[in-house]
Amino acid sequence: MQAAAQKNAVVLPLDTNAGTTIGPLLAKLKSAGNDTGKVNIYNAISDQYYRTNDPANGSAYGQKALELAEQLDWKKGKASALNNLGHNYLIKFEYINALSYYDKALVLYETMGDLAGITKMYTSKGEVYYLLSQYAEAQENYFKALKIAEKEHSAEDIAACQINIGDIYYKERNFPKALEYYNACVKIYTVIDDKRALAIAYRDIANIYFEEVNLVKAAEYYNKALEIAENGHDKKNIAENLSNLGNVYSEQQEHEKALEYAFRSLKLNREINNKSGIANNLGNIGTTYLLIGTDPAALAKIKGPAKNNETIHLQKGIRYINEAVTIELKLGEINTLPQFYENLSEAYSLLGN
């Protein structure tokens, strides 16, 4: 039985106004006229809500930007609004809607000859296909984006493409190639001081070491990523790295520590309504209970009525994993389902079912 490493947010190229908080933008909106400046403010607000994991408001302001841009017949404003709507639908796990908005934005960027915009859309489309486990389509879009980014000498876009291509190689278990792309990203993100993206690169490197059962190196890189996320008060990535550190403890047979980290991660994911993260947590909690249920030494450490009771832990494991499977089926995310089904099969067998 094995817990599932968590791979959540990919690095998506975002719109401008990254350093502008929502409060001042809302204040500017009050005195703005119905012109392109107001479209820009709507788009900046939508982008900021996306960044703070508030897709309801992000979608609402993206729609306002789109409607005004259409009234003004301003292609650039429309494309930016469609891009932001795609991002916000992506974090609502409405992948088909996200893809639809990205496709519409791509058409506009192509008609304008906006290479930076085209790069963003290929990267974003690649992320949707990645989440839908359509890896060939994802890789195709990522390489299209990388080709343009390299021509434009855009370090941020090059790194975003490289980390996503690394993800495809990771899924194909071509770990040396994946590490090559991830380490290239680390160099770029360090130079341009993009800490959030750097944390994602560290996490992805850690995932490879975890798969290779180099648990010391895996913990080192997960902790690097966690430190950046905590300094940035980034709940989503804090939760993700806590979950992955829990998996390291699980592999080290420190099951109670593994559960502690998994439940801390679950609490944060529920606070931000990160359904994908919640499913991952539930699956890993269930798997850990199954591991305890099949390890006499671990069972002996348990206090209370569950001590040395294999059945209680196997039943808990089945319950949590089934909750995870239900959520993942609703989201259309199938990456970890094979592992969860395999774990369920083993648990039912041990219970004589």
Side-chain angles (χ1 to χ4, degrees):
M1 296 176 187
Q2 185 182 42
Q6 192 168 340
K7 191 272 182 198
N8 260 329
V10 78
V11 181
L12 292 176
L14 303 173
D15 277 348
T16 55
N17 300 297
T20 307
T21 57
I22 293 171
L25 288 169
L26 290 171
K28 283 184 181 180
L29 197 58
K30 294 178 181 178
S31 58
N34 285 328
D35 54 19
T36 58
K38 191 171 188 177
V39 175
N40 283 336
I41 296 171
Y42 278 143
N43 274 324
I45 294 171
S46 176
D47 178 57
Q48 285 299 314
Y49 276 123
Y50 161 73
R51 290 169 179 270
T52 54
N53 206 53
D54 185 350
N57 278 313
S59 298
Y61 279 94
Q63 189 62 42
K64 288 176 184 289
L66 180 61
E67 290 170 0
L68 182 54
E70 286 177 336
Q71 290 175 24
L72 299 170
D73 194 25
W74 186 36
K75 286 184 180 179
K76 185 176 180 180
K78 283 195 286 185
S80 184
L82 290 165
N83 171 47
N84 285 327
L85 283 165
H87 285 355
N88 280 287
Y89 276 101
L90 183 70
I91 61 172
K92 286 197 288 186
F93 312 106
E94 296 183 25
Y95 300 134
I96 303 305
N97 283 334
L99 190 61
S100 174
Y101 281 112
Y102 292 147
D103 278 329
K104 291 174 184 176
L106 177 60
V107 170
L108 286 173
Y109 283 126
E110 287 176 334
T111 61
M112 293 185 289
D114 186 334
L115 295 180
I118 294 169
T119 303
K120 285 193 296 186
M121 290 309 95
Y122 280 135
T123 303
S124 299
K125 287 180 62 180
E127 167 65 354
V128 176
Y129 285 122
Y130 179 91
L131 291 170
L132 290 171
S133 302
Q134 297 178 25
Y135 300 128
E137 291 84 354
Q139 191 172 57
E140 178 185 348
N141 279 277
Y142 290 150
F143 273 114
K144 284 180 180 179
L146 179 60
K147 186 177 180 180
I148 299 170
E150 288 175 337
K151 285 182 180 179
E152 291 294 291
H153 304 288
S154 170
E156 181 182 0
D157 288 346
I158 289 170
C161 296
Q162 287 176 331
I163 201 167
N164 295 332
I165 291 168
D167 290 341
I168 301 297
Y169 284 119
Y170 171 81
K171 284 297 178 183
E172 293 173 345
R173 302 191 70 78
N174 187 341
F175 296 146
K177 201 71 176 174
L179 271 176
E180 176 187 329
Y181 277 90
Y182 291 153
N183 282 316
C185 296
V186 167
K187 291 178 182 177
I188 294 175
Y189 290 135
T190 301
V191 170
I192 65 176
D193 197 30
D194 187 337
K195 289 184 170 58
R196 182 177 182 274
L198 180 60
I200 291 171
Y202 282 148
R203 174 213 60 199
D204 288 346
I205 291 171
N207 283 347
I208 289 178
Y209 286 125
F210 180 79
E211 290 287 342
E212 293 179 334
V213 200
N214 187 339
L215 301 179
V216 173
K217 294 292 286 185
E220 175 189 339
Y221 277 91
Y222 284 140
N223 275 307
K224 284 184 178 182
L226 178 61
E227 182 180 358
I228 294 172
E230 287 177 335
N231 289 338
H233 307 288
D234 184 345
K235 285 187 177 182
K236 188 172 184 180
N237 282 308
I238 292 171
E240 182 177 335
N241 286 294
L242 287 171
S243 173
N244 288 331
L245 281 165
N247 292 340
V248 172
Y249 283 117
S250 181
E251 289 296 309
Q252 293 172 327
Q253 310 300 312
E254 297 185 46
H255 301 309
E256 289 178 293
K257 199 76 174 174
L259 286 173
E260 175 194 333
Y261 273 74
F263 278 112
R264 283 170 62 191
S265 177
L266 179 61
K267 182 176 183 293
L268 286 172
N269 277 322
R270 281 177 168 160
E271 285 177 9
I272 60 175
N273 195 32
N274 178 10
K275 293 179 183 178
S276 181
I278 290 168
N280 191 279
N281 293 145
L282 292 170
N284 287 343
I285 289 167
T287 300
T288 302
Y289 277 123
L290 297 186
L291 290 168
I292 294 172
T294 55
D295 182 353
L299 280 169
K301 294 179 183 178
I302 302 300
K303 297 177 182 178
K307 185 180 181 70
N308 291 318
N309 194 320
E310 174 186 340
T311 300
I312 288 176
H313 286 87
L314 292 177
Q315 288 175 339
K316 278 186 177 181
I318 290 169
R319 177 165 61 85
Y320 277 104
I321 293 177
N322 274 322
E323 286 182 40
V325 168
T326 299
I327 295 171
E328 293 203 339
L329 287 172
K330 286 181 180 178
L331 295 178
E333 294 185 0
I334 63 171
N335 295 344
T336 54
L337 285 178
Q339 186 65 61
F340 289 157
Y341 282 134
E342 182 180 337
N343 293 353
L344 284 170
S345 176
E346 291 183 39
Y348 284 124
S349 176
L350 289 167
L351 289 172
N353 186 344

